[in-house]
Amino acid sequence: MNQNVSPPVAGDAWTRVAERVAGQHWPASTLYVVATPIGNLGDLGLRAWHALQRADVIAAEDTRASRTLLDAWGVSTPLMAAHRHNEAAAAQAICERLAQGQRVALVSDAGAPAVSDPGARVVRAVREAGFAVVPVPGPSAVIAALMGSGVTTDENPAYAFAGFPPSKATARQRWLRTWCALPAPVVMFESPHRLAATLADLREVCGDARLLTVARELTKRFEEIATFPLGEAAAWLAADAHREQGEFVLIAHAQAGREEDEDADPRADALLDALLETLSVRDASKIAAKVTGLSRDVLYNRALARKNA
């Protein structure tokens, strides 16, 4: 692979695509909810760049952090603050701008606004006022961690995003018991200064054998994605002092032995029996999987056994 790739020049594929994106429909009186890089400046999408360029103002969680990104990409659009402490007032100001025919872009410090970041209140207010909201997707720590861990499957792509655990130990353990009982991988965020305590609580709640994926510094130079049983979590953390630094995504894998539990679930059996009266085994198991959230493969085998019986 050529390590000395030249930057795009006029007439090349990059320029042609950029021109096509620029010619797309960019309606006025619209809020553009724009995902921004979670660490790597190169991850800003071309459509996101155009949205930020075309906006009359950019509503940002932290105007200083956003200005650094915008300067790197040559975007000079003015900024206004829209964070969790002024979100109601910011939403009103944004609606007033939209009423004047302006385009407003909404960004958070990193990743997708309104997803474990400020912005949802602004989006709701804009929609309730009758203005259009256009999401411009892009970088996401949740999706990046799932992509790098391989914890989901085509047959059962379900996962749960839980956000940040509570800071207090008792509340955190109660919270973890609720989330980690779900029949799916659970994705959560954690800060460096609480990482060790949360790993200890996860081990207490889930046991030594439950698999955990830790994804740290995603998209950055020292990105690391590691999977191990919770019984090894403390040793993994202690093996390298740098592992207590950065930003963390934790994924508690689906509980081992879940398929055996599903096989004996009387509610699933009752649903399958009702569906099998009019549907094939394949269709019955597919619908049951959507209703219950259980594995379609397990439900297919169970439906086949019940039909033959």
Side-chain angles (χ1 to χ4, degrees):
M1 181 181 294
N2 182 9
Q3 299 298 315
N4 299 309
V5 179
S6 300
V9 294
D12 68 2
W14 175 271
T15 302
R16 291 196 298 273
V17 173
E19 290 173 350
R20 290 182 61 181
V21 174
Q24 293 176 358
H25 184 47
W26 297 93
S29 297
T30 297
L31 177 70
Y32 294 86
V33 186
V34 182
T36 56
I38 59 175
N40 192 316
L41 283 174
D43 288 340
L44 185 71
L46 182 56
R47 184 163 165 249
W49 180 76
H50 272 287
L52 297 174
Q53 286 274 36
R54 290 171 177 271
D56 294 284
V57 67
I58 298 171
E61 178 183 3
D62 184 331
T63 55
R64 292 170 299 179
S66 294
R67 178 48 65 195
T68 299
L69 170 69
L70 299 177
D71 287 347
W73 278 87
V75 177
S76 58
T77 306
L79 288 161
M80 62 174 284
H83 47 74
R84 65 181 76 255
H85 302 296
N86 79 333
E87 203 166 356
Q92 181 178 351
I94 288 170
C95 287
E96 291 172 357
R97 286 177 174 272
L98 297 176
Q100 297 168 11
Q102 295 187 19
R103 298 180 183 90
V104 179
L106 177 67
V107 301
S108 57
D109 288 353
V115 181
S116 199
D117 265 338
R121 190 171 184 175
V122 171
V123 171
R124 288 195 300 270
V126 168
R127 289 172 55 86
E128 289 169 1
F131 297 108
V133 175
V134 173
V136 183
S140 163
V142 174
I143 300 302
L146 289 168
M147 291 168 64
S149 64
V151 298
T152 63
T153 65
D154 288 345
E155 294 76 20
N156 185 16
Y159 68 91
F161 173 54
F164 279 94
S167 58
K168 302 295 184 181
T170 301
R172 182 167 57 239
Q173 288 191 14
R174 184 167 58 247
W175 184 90
L176 289 171
R177 287 190 185 94
T178 299
W179 281 104
C180 293
L182 296 176
V186 179
V187 185
M188 62 198 86
F189 294 157
E190 192 49 286
S191 56
H193 64 280
R194 287 202 301 263
L195 179 64
T198 296
L199 292 180
D201 286 343
L202 272 166
R203 182 180 181 184
E204 177 70 21
V205 168
C206 300
D208 287 352
R210 185 82 169 262
L211 288 178
L212 177 77
T213 291
V214 178
R216 59 179 294 271
E217 295 292 85
L218 286 169
T219 78
K220 301 177 184 177
R221 179 180 178 185
F222 297 108
E223 176 182 272
E224 183 175 11
I225 302 174
T227 299
F228 41 76
L230 276 165
E232 301 175 9
W236 175 86
L237 188 60
D240 186 344
H242 291 98
R243 287 176 176 165
E244 294 191 30
Q245 302 172 4
E247 297 174 336
F248 296 86
V249 181
L250 309 179
I251 305 177
H253 292 222
Q255 187 174 356
R258 176 62 64 177
E259 291 190 357
E260 290 78 0
D261 294 341
E262 292 169 0
D263 189 64
D265 189 337
R267 295 168 300 177
D269 286 347
L271 177 60
L272 286 170
D273 288 343
L275 294 170
L276 286 169
E277 292 180 4
T278 55
L279 298 175
S280 67
V281 169
R282 179 179 178 275
D283 290 341
S285 60
K286 182 177 180 180
I287 292 172
K290 289 183 177 180
V291 171
T292 65
L294 304 179
S295 166
R296 187 163 64 182
D297 286 349
V298 171
L299 291 170
Y300 180 89
N301 293 333
R302 188 64 180 162
L304 185 62
R306 297 185 73 78
K307 187 175 182 67
N308 291 336

